[in-house]
Amino acid sequence: MAIKSILTVQTDFTGEFPVNDKTVALWRFNEATPDGNTMLLDASGYNRNFFVSGWSGTSASLVSGRLGRYFRQNIINPTSERTYLVATNDGSFFSDLGEKIVVGGWINPTTYSIGQNFIPIFNTRQGPDQPIFYVSLYQGRPRLMLYNASGTLIYDQTETPAITLRNNGWYFIASIIEVSNKRVQNLLCDRSDGAIWQSPVRTFAGDLNQGCVADIVMGMHADTYYYAGGIDDWFYEKDSALSMEDLISHFKSSILANGGDSTADVDALTEPGAVLLKETNGVFAPSGQLYTTATACGLSGTGRVSATSEYTAGITAISLVETSTSDDLDSWTQWQTVGASGELQSPNRAYIRYRITLSTQDTSRTPRLLEIQLHDIPKPPYEQLGFARPVLLDESGAWEAVLENAFDILVTSEVNGADFLEFKLPFHDPKRETLDNEKQVQIVNDVYRIRTVSDEKNSDGRVVTQVYAEAAFYDLSFSTAKEPMEFTAETPEVPMGYALLNTGWVLGNVTVSTRRTWESTEKNALSILRATQNIHGGDLIFDSANREVHLLTFSGIDSGALFSYRKNMKSIQRVVDTRSLVTRLYAYGKEGMTFASINGNREYVEDYSYSSEIRVATLDASSFSSPYQMLEFANMRLAQYARPRISYVLSAMDLSVLTGYEHEAWNLGDIVTVDDRDLNLSVKTRVVRRQYNLQEPWKTVLELSTTLRELGDASAGWDKAADILSSADVLDRQEVKDLVPFNHLRNSRADDGITYWLNSGFTVDPNNGVSGEASFKADGVLWMTKSLSQTVYPASRRSYTLSAQIASENLQKGPNGQVGIEVDIEYEDGTTETRLIDLF
């Protein structure tokens, strides 16, 4: 996928004239007042600021308009006010002119400026020494004058455009002067109706005064002639690359942009590079629509729009993204809302513009729009994994080469885990030279980045190149460093949006709705995304073709695919795991409610269909207020817990690549059926890992699991319940031997005081430690809870062990008192459980 265009700087949102490396000076007039030296800033970076002569005591002002503020002068009486602007020439204004100079900007003339014979606009005739050019109005018509080194007039042309200047109208005016070719052309555009007039290309004789050291004066000549009206966004370029077509394109492209418009409810000026809702006296507008400049479209495939923003979920939002396209910047299609994943719905044309709606539910807060990207998504060269070949992409994301001689092509991917590509290529293949580290490779819709390229000579003399490439989303681990961020009762959209900020990736569909309070200390985007999935649950999906990240409650479907021996399954290994087996399940509902009254006075349900051993657990059903529903729920849970967890590893063929077997298609995360009469099994199970052999699909290896906790279906969403282990020791001796000790708790021995702990009522005893010198201590108080807690994010393991050394003195529990270790666990599917280990 290639990025076709990006809108991210102030001028993209306001329509102001952009600065480039040829800009000598550019005056935007966006200040509220001149500075302490009565100067107005130059936006080119060269500090060629305008001095305002006649600021005090006149009608001179900086007025809100379409492009932010603009400068107005001599509105009451030009002959008595005599306001004008001066930019002092430091000697470099007109040296090294190159092949072309271009000058222009916006004017807002009054009747006075239209009706007089001589009205100066952009003037070098004031000196010192001889001028070079003079842009003015003569009886309301554009006039350009050019001079040689001796001050002799070598060009003087008053144009008669098809556009008639009117009082208080806004007009874009520009002149292109070709220094060596001795040609001139002028432009006049009317903002009110979009009319454009360009003069004939005219010529002049003689050489321009390239040694000119005169100042630039706007709005005055000879202390006699004055301009009355407004000016805005004036620029001067030398050695310019601008053509008449460029100037016209700028006018057409920017005429609708409103990020600087004082009448709009959006604001692209207060924070350059960001668009906010308009703020008035500390109150933001509840909503506003931004119109952007037009930019390149012309897609080779389909398009996707991504809008990068900062927002607060449920409060501020970029609530609508619309597009319109055109082939000529004149005729535009109707506005179309982009698809749910940013799919471009407007027709593919040469140009595109955007209408973005910002909104807030709290007028003390605003969203921030930071960037709009248009992605060009070419049709993938292969539509399915089976028999596909790697396709090398160039820097723009376009196809560079199809590696048809690649072999041993393996794509390995896991649900919420790794995703990488491996393949080999004959060293002497002509396309070997196209392989370079960090280049991108496309496999159907997925994109990978080459990380290692190894050339190896075998014992038989063959030289083979081996390539290892990681999924494009691995690049998110190299994002700019992220600051620690605290999320308070937020849905996963918020931390995911924070993670993806300024990465070029955007947030896609999020169907997980759990709210979590946690602090992210991760330093890069990928680790934050992984942490978010670990805390909130669900399946984290990376769409590399569209550069989107989704978090789905369940990413797969019940595919209907069947794996059976001698059909598409070559071998199978079944693993039966009873380490989490439960046969007696207690349940407690709201305010300690039980279902004993409707269950034979028993607060538990039992299932000994697999084991006669009593293995006890407790189910948190505190959200239930009906004993009947709670009993049904407990039986449903026990039906899962009372049986072994079964997983499979099988070598199988993807039959969907064959004609007539398309219905056998399956994907990572899907539910499939495994049937084997010899093993006496027929079960639905989920594809949790696959090693897909593209060249030989019959050698594909799958890992399947019957654990459906992560499905997040209706039953899993009944409440936040999970089985709570009552007994303190559920590990057998072999499991203890197999444990790899690793302490996830920080400062577990109180060596650093209370650091890393959330403390309520505990103190540090510096003298009485066990494995160290210090320990934590609490004095019990009747009717008071004292606690010490810490949140950890452990790696995925089948078992965890909690251990602590405790001591007590004269310990007595009051009514309903508890002393113990309480563990709150959050699973990948978003469910939670609380396990209390009683210590007294």
Side-chain angles (χ1 to χ4, degrees):
M1 179 183 66
I3 297 177
K4 185 67 179 182
S5 59
I6 301 176
L7 300 182
T8 189
V9 298
Q10 176 176 304
T11 53
D12 295 331
F13 305 131
T14 63
E16 296 169 299
F17 203 85
V19 175
N20 61 64
D21 59 355
K22 304 299 183 182
T23 305
V24 176
L26 192 156
W27 300 278
R28 299 212 188 277
F29 307 109
N30 280 339
E31 306 97 313
T33 60
D35 66 13
N37 296 316
T38 325
M39 306 291 282
L40 297 174
L41 298 179
D42 165 27
S44 72
Y46 291 110
N47 295 317
R48 293 176 171 128
N49 303 331
F50 265 143
F51 172 73
V52 186
S53 178
W55 170 258
S56 300
T58 69
S59 63
S61 60
L62 289 150
V63 184
S64 297
R66 280 290 302 271
L67 301 176
R69 295 181 184 274
Y70 65 94
F71 186 73
R72 293 183 75 193
Q73 62 188 56
N74 304 320
I75 298 303
I76 297 175
N77 188 341
T79 59
S80 61
E81 294 184 88
R82 300 187 175 189
T83 301
Y84 60 92
L85 305 175
V86 181
T88 302
N89 189 349
D90 61 1
S92 63
F93 259 143
F94 307 108
S95 61
D96 302 319
L97 290 181
E99 292 298 312
K100 187 190 301 181
I101 57 177
V102 181
V103 61
W106 288 90
I107 60 173
N108 174 229
T110 63
T111 301
Y112 176 90
S113 294
I114 295 170
Q116 300 296 314
N117 283 347
F118 307 110
I119 297 296
I121 299 178
F122 208 73
N123 179 16
T124 60
R125 290 176 64 183
Q126 289 301 114
D129 210 355
Q130 302 301 334
I132 182 171
F133 57 72
Y134 180 37
V135 178
S136 64
L137 296 178
Y138 177 75
Q139 296 179 349
R141 293 176 292 154
R143 181 185 185 185
L144 177 64
M145 304 163 73
L146 303 177
Y147 298 86
N148 65 16
S150 64
T152 302
L153 189 64
I154 60 176
Y155 180 85
D156 184 359
Q157 180 68 47
T158 300
E159 304 288 358
T160 304
I163 297 172
T164 301
L165 301 187
R166 298 183 304 276
N167 178 49
N168 208 36
W170 275 103
Y171 306 94
F172 182 69
I173 184 172
S175 296
I176 298 177
I177 304 164
E178 298 183 31
V179 178
S180 300
N181 293 332
K182 304 181 188 302
R183 296 189 299 193
V184 171
Q185 194 172 18
N186 297 297
L187 175 69
L188 182 66
C189 306
D190 187 343
R191 175 180 282 166
S192 67
D193 58 7
I196 297 172
W197 172 86
Q198 53 183 314
S199 73
V201 177
R202 304 188 188 279
T203 60
F204 61 90
D207 296 318
L208 286 173
N209 179 20
Q210 296 199 46
C212 178
V213 294
D215 298 335
I216 291 179
V217 178
M218 288 203 73
M220 186 275 288
H221 173 54
D223 293 324
T224 302
Y225 307 101
Y226 293 89
Y227 171 78
I231 52 177
D232 200 5
D233 224 32
W234 268 82
F235 65 94
Y236 164 53
E237 291 190 5
K238 62 182 182 182
D239 194 25
S240 176
L242 291 172
S243 65
M244 183 58 65
E245 290 72 22
D246 294 330
L247 294 173
I248 292 173
S249 177
H250 166 70
F251 171 74
K252 289 183 176 181
S253 299
S254 63
I255 194 169
L256 196 64
N258 70 336
D261 193 340
S262 61
T263 65
D265 285 327
V266 292
D267 173 13
L269 296 175
T270 298
E271 295 183 15
V275 182
L276 294 68
L277 288 168
K278 182 68 66 65
E279 182 182 11
T280 305
N281 298 325
V283 177
F284 291 102
S287 66
Q289 284 188 328
L290 169 74
Y291 291 84
T292 72
T293 61
T295 188
C297 187
L299 305 171
S300 63
T302 59
R304 185 183 64 79
V305 177
S306 62
T308 303
S309 64
E310 295 177 351
Y311 65 96
T312 303
I315 299 176
T316 64
I318 304 301
S319 52
L320 187 63
V321 178
E322 300 170 281
T323 62
S324 178
T325 53
S326 172
D327 278 326
D328 56 9
L329 295 173
D330 290 320
S331 300
W332 290 87
T333 63
Q334 296 294 317
W335 291 103
Q336 294 283 335
T337 303
V338 300
S341 296
E343 301 91 348
L344 183 66
Q345 305 297 321
S346 297
N348 184 13
R349 300 285 189 266
Y351 304 97
I352 186 170
R353 62 188 183 187
Y354 302 91
R355 183 166 69 182
I356 312 289
T357 301
L358 292 77
S359 61
T360 182
Q361 301 297 319
D362 179 354
T363 55
S364 67
R365 306 167 77 174
T366 179
R368 284 172 171 79
L369 174 67
L370 304 176
E371 184 176 88
I372 306 170
Q373 290 188 4
L374 176 64
H375 302 270
D376 190 354
I377 307 171
K379 183 179 179 181
Y382 298 96
E383 296 184 356
Q384 57 185 8
L385 283 175
F387 307 119
R389 292 295 183 269
V391 179
L392 203 64
L393 306 180
D394 62 19
E395 292 183 356
S396 68
W399 304 339
E400 180 177 335
V402 177
L403 306 179
E404 63 274 357
N405 293 324
F407 62 98
D408 289 350
I409 312 166
L410 300 176
V411 171
T412 302
S413 48
E414 303 172 349
V415 174
N416 294 319
D419 190 354
F420 56 89
L421 163 70
E422 299 168 291
F423 65 89
K424 298 176 181 177
L425 191 72
F427 180 77
H428 297 293
D429 189 290
K431 296 178 181 178
R432 163 63 182 84
E433 63 184 20
T434 64
L435 292 176
D436 286 314
N437 287 70
E438 298 305 305
K439 269 195 167 182
Q440 292 188 321
V441 180
Q442 183 173 353
I443 297 289
V444 189
N445 284 313
D446 292 321
V447 178
Y448 298 81
R449 191 179 294 276
I450 296 175
R451 300 302 190 195
T452 64
V453 180
S454 306
D455 297 315
E456 179 180 341
K457 188 173 183 178
N458 298 329
S459 58
D460 60 2
R462 293 179 59 204
V463 183
V464 174
T465 296
Q466 301 183 41
V467 176
Y468 167 80
E470 294 174 334
F473 70 80
Y474 279 55
D475 286 349
L476 290 169
S477 64
F478 307 127
S479 69
T480 54
K482 300 287 184 177
E483 296 297 324
M485 181 68 67
E486 185 171 341
F487 305 103
T488 304
E490 300 285 8
T491 55
E493 290 96 331
V494 177
M496 291 178 71
Y498 173 68
L500 296 175
L501 189 64
N502 298 324
T503 64
W505 289 69
V506 297
L507 186 64
N509 296 328
V510 178
T511 59
V512 176
S513 59
T514 52
R515 293 184 177 272
R516 296 285 184 264
T517 296
W518 61 292
E519 181 182 8
S520 169
T521 58
E522 305 294 344
K523 295 299 184 182
N524 65 72
L526 184 58
S527 60
I528 295 174
L529 292 169
R530 292 294 194 198
T532 301
Q533 183 276 326
N534 186 47
I535 292 169
H536 287 267
D539 291 343
L540 196 60
I541 305 298
F542 295 92
D543 181 352
S544 58
N546 295 302
R547 295 176 73 82
E548 288 184 328
V549 183
H550 312 279
L551 185 63
L552 307 180
T553 306
F554 179 58
S555 61
I557 61 172
D558 191 339
S559 67
L562 171 66
F563 290 96
S564 63
Y565 190 60
R566 294 180 179 173
K567 173 194 173 189
N568 56 353
M569 185 169 63
K570 297 174 62 178
S571 64
I572 183 170
Q573 178 189 27
R574 179 170 62 177
V575 178
V576 181
D577 184 353
T578 58
R579 285 176 287 182
S580 300
L581 188 74
V582 174
T583 57
R584 177 180 291 178
L585 185 63
Y586 287 80
Y588 296 97
K590 186 175 181 180
E591 298 179 351
M593 179 194 70
T594 72
F595 46 63
S597 61
I598 61 170
N599 191 48
N601 292 321
R602 292 178 299 177
E603 297 179 356
Y604 56 86
V605 290
E606 295 175 303
D607 187 339
Y608 299 104
S609 57
Y610 181 82
S611 171
S612 59
E613 179 183 352
I614 299 177
R615 303 183 65 163
V616 180
T618 304
L619 185 68
D620 178 6
S622 57
S623 63
F624 284 89
S625 58
S626 167
Y628 296 94
Q629 292 183 5
M630 188 169 67
L631 177 60
E632 180 183 8
F633 181 68
N635 279 313
M636 180 195 70
R637 284 298 196 200
L638 185 59
Q640 297 174 356
Y641 305 151
R643 288 164 179 75
R645 298 176 64 175
I646 304 173
S647 60
Y648 305 88
V649 177
L650 58 89
S651 176
M653 178 179 180
D654 180 8
L655 288 179
S656 67
V657 301
L658 304 178
T659 302
Y661 286 88
E662 292 82 2
H663 62 282
E664 294 285 353
W666 51 268
N667 288 303
L668 182 70
D670 281 355
I671 300 297
V672 297
T673 300
V674 177
D675 185 85
D676 190 301
R677 293 182 180 179
D678 294 335
L679 294 178
N680 193 28
L681 67 88
S682 179
V683 64
K684 283 183 176 293
T685 181
R686 190 183 190 199
V687 181
V688 296
R689 186 178 187 272
R690 70 178 181 189
Q691 186 182 72
Y692 197 106
N693 190 316
L694 276 64
Q695 187 181 23
E696 301 172 295
W698 51 89
K699 293 184 178 180
T700 293
V701 177
L702 304 179
E703 291 186 18
L704 312 175
S705 173
T706 57
T707 304
L708 303 184
R709 174 192 296 275
E710 55 268 27
L711 291 185
D713 57 14
S715 62
W718 279 26
D719 71 339
K720 297 178 292 184
D723 51 317
I724 302 171
L725 201 60
S726 318
S727 55
D729 183 10
V730 294
L731 300 177
D732 62 27
R733 293 184 179 182
Q734 184 58 46
E735 287 174 315
V736 173
K737 292 179 181 179
D738 292 340
L739 286 175
V740 178
F742 182 85
N743 190 8
H744 291 284
L745 290 172
R746 292 183 289 183
N747 188 29
S748 62
R749 303 185 305 177
D751 295 333
D752 296 321
I754 302 294
T755 304
Y756 300 117
W757 292 92
L758 184 62
N759 178 36
S760 176
F762 273 71
T763 60
V764 172
D765 184 342
N767 301 314
N768 295 299
V770 180
S771 59
E773 295 181 354
S775 62
F776 300 105
K777 177 183 177 181
D779 293 323
V781 178
L782 193 62
W783 310 114
M784 179 180 294
T785 299
K786 295 189 176 184
S787 64
L788 192 68
S789 64
Q790 185 178 143
T791 301
V792 299
Y793 303 98
S796 178
R797 296 289 186 271
R798 290 184 179 273
S799 302
Y800 295 95
T801 296
L802 290 172
S803 65
Q805 182 88 13
I806 65 168
S808 63
E809 183 176 336
N810 299 323
L811 181 61
Q812 296 181 2
K813 289 197 299 184
N816 301 317
Q818 287 183 314
V819 178
I821 298 175
E822 186 178 85
V823 185
D824 293 325
I825 303 172
E826 296 177 355
Y827 288 103
E828 291 181 350
D829 64 350
T831 59
T832 63
E833 66 182 30
T834 301
R835 300 186 178 187
L836 179 66
I837 302 174
D838 283 316
L839 301 178
F840 182 76

